[in-house]
Amino acid sequence: MQKFCDEHLIPTENAPGYALQSAIYLSYIYALNKYTIVKEMTTGKGFADVVFIPFVPGIPAMIIELKRNGSTKSAISQIREKRYFDSLSAYSGDLLFVGVNYDETAKTHECRIEKFEK
């Protein structure tokens, strides 16, 4: 994600926040062709930040947890510990856990993706 932001987005005074927002927005528009997108989806023990449920066969569902000044590891752990995947128990395809963190000090984005093993 950081590489995409560095190569494709125009720097502004608020570049780090703007870059993440733009990358997510572009991804969102593309995903509308293949996914139902649910923000703050009620799940096992809380709310997943964003859940992508495919209506096109052969692509994975995704549960996304966003962090600021945290870590991608803690984002993935939160998905697992709060059992955000319980609400997708009827879904039979592949499922990805996606943790995204923005570090305000370093002004960088980091992303970690793990495949959920049932």
Side-chain angles (χ1 to χ4, degrees), residues 22 30 46 48 52 56 61 83 89 92 99 118:
S22 296
Y30 174 76
F52 287 71
V56 173
R83 301 186 59 83
S89 60
S92 61
K118 296 179 186 179

Side-chain angles (χ1 to χ4, degrees), residues 17-50:
Y18 177 78
L20 179 58
Q21 180 185 28
S22 296
I24 290 171
Y25 181 69
L26 291 171
S27 300
Y28 180 85
I29 290 173
Y30 174 76
L32 288 173
N33 295 311
K34 299 181 181 192
Y35 289 93
T36 298
I37 303 169
V38 184
K39 294 179 247 172
E40 296 296 327
M41 183 172 174
T42 303
T43 59
K45 297 178 184 174
F47 299 89
D49 287 331
V50 186

Side-chain angles (χ1 to χ4, degrees), residues 42-45 63 79 82-90 95:
T42 303
T43 59
K45 297 178 184 174
I63 299 174
I79 293 169
K82 293 194 175 188
R83 301 186 59 83
Y84 289 172
F85 48 87
D86 281 352
S87 59
L88 297 176
S89 60
L95 175 58

Side-chain angles (χ1 to χ4, degrees), residues 53-85:
I53 305 166
F55 52 80
V56 173
I59 60 175
M62 294 179 278
I63 299 174
I64 302 173
E65 183 62 27
L66 305 171
K67 295 289 183 190
R68 184 178 70 204
N69 299 322
S71 71
T72 57
K73 185 177 179 180
S74 69
I76 299 288
S77 293
Q78 183 173 328
I79 293 169
R80 292 185 187 284
E81 290 166 9
K82 293 194 175 188
R83 301 186 59 83
Y84 289 172
F85 48 87

